[in-house]
Amino acid sequence: GPGIGATSWGQRLMFGHPLLGPELRLPYEEMRARIRQFLYEQMAEEPGLTSCLLIHTCNGPQSKVDAGVETLCKYLNNIADHPSEEKYRRIRLNNRIFQERVLPLEGALEFLQAAGFVRQHDEECPAEEWLEFPPESDIEQLHVLTDALRCAKPLVPVLDRSLRVLLPHEAAQQLVLPDSFFNLSPDELLREQGGPAREVELQTTLRTR
């Protein structure tokens, strides 16, 4: 079924996130966009961890994320396990695996740059580009970053259950929720939103208030 923010009723629900402070409350999709913006704002200060969060938060489906994460970890582990092997220090941008699994992932290039990779190109053939891990780069950090990438969890909007009245600026159409609503699990919430009977009931409630 549709996600929490996808139905006409769902768009009236407000969401927050602990990282964005206690005051900010937005509809689901707007909160997702704000979380993404927040991550990019943190990139300069903490590129490693931020790019890990970006990869897990801003991409889907999960199978695509998992494949990309596996490939990124393999790149870093190959260098850490074989530090003297030149071939592992260079990733060609036109490589098929890179094109299919890594390039489409938002945050993947930032992650590799945070790991120490530098973008290079052939002077005689500018179209020939690659990422290179310089000899002086920190190999120890590669283990830290692969662990962070594997352990990172997506930042998702959190339903704000403290707001007992939704759309307070629309005083004429305030929808007051029963206390039982605040004890529902996310799955129960989705079920609550499903079904035409529920929709009719909600619309009737709105009209009669």
Side-chain angles (χ1 to χ4, degrees):
I4 287 176
T7 69
S8 57
W9 186 50
Q11 285 164 359
R12 298 174 184 277
L13 299 177
M14 300 303 274
F15 294 78
H17 195 280
L19 284 175
L20 301 181
E23 302 303 319
L24 188 63
R25 294 292 179 267
L26 294 168
Y28 186 79
E29 288 301 331
E30 288 180 39
M31 180 51 72
R32 279 190 64 189
R34 185 64 190 86
I35 288 171
R36 180 176 177 271
Q37 180 189 340
F38 169 79
L39 287 173
Y40 276 103
E41 288 166 359
Q42 305 303 309
M43 190 66 77
E45 196 174 319
E46 188 62 68
L49 181 58
T50 304
S51 57
C52 291
L53 291 171
L54 200 59
I55 288 168
H56 284 278
T57 301
C58 298
N59 296 288
Q62 191 60 45
S63 56
K64 174 181 153 185
V65 176
D66 291 344
V69 165
E70 276 306 309
T71 305
L72 288 166
C73 288
K74 189 172 182 181
Y75 288 151
L76 270 55
N77 285 334
N78 279 342
I79 295 172
D81 295 343
H82 311 280
S84 58
E85 293 255 12
E86 286 287 321
K87 64 179 180 181
Y88 292 128
R89 292 173 172 266
R90 183 175 287 199
I91 304 167
R92 296 200 174 277
L93 298 195
N94 61 3
N95 173 274
R96 185 178 61 82
I97 297 289
F98 182 82
Q99 291 271 342
E100 288 177 6
R101 295 186 184 178
V102 176
L103 202 56
L105 278 190
E106 187 169 355
L109 280 177
E110 288 87 347
F111 175 80
L112 289 169
Q113 286 165 346
F117 281 89
V118 179
R119 197 164 182 157
Q120 308 275 17
H121 68 270
D122 190 326
E123 293 292 338
E124 295 176 7
C125 180
E128 182 69 22
E129 286 190 287
W130 64 90
L131 292 169
E132 189 156 323
F133 190 80
E136 68 276 9
S137 293
D138 182 5
I139 285 184
E140 284 304 308
Q141 189 185 337
L142 299 181
H143 289 301
V144 175
L145 279 174
T146 51
D147 287 347
L149 185 58
R150 287 189 192 280
C151 296
K153 296 279 186 281
L155 304 183
V156 294
V158 179
L159 179 62
D160 182 4
R161 299 183 184 216
S162 65
L163 293 177
R164 293 304 176 105
V165 178
L166 305 177
L167 297 183
H169 58 285
E170 294 181 14
Q173 290 193 343
Q174 283 176 351
L175 169 61
V176 181
L177 295 168
D179 283 348
S180 60
F181 170 82
F182 299 95
N183 301 319
L184 294 176
S185 70
D187 286 345
E188 288 169 329
L189 265 175
L190 289 174
R191 283 201 296 277
E192 280 283 303
Q193 291 183 75
R198 181 67 180 158
E199 197 65 37
V200 170
E201 181 192 330
L202 281 165
Q203 287 171 4
T204 307
T205 305
L206 286 172
R207 277 202 300 274
T208 54
R209 286 191 178 274

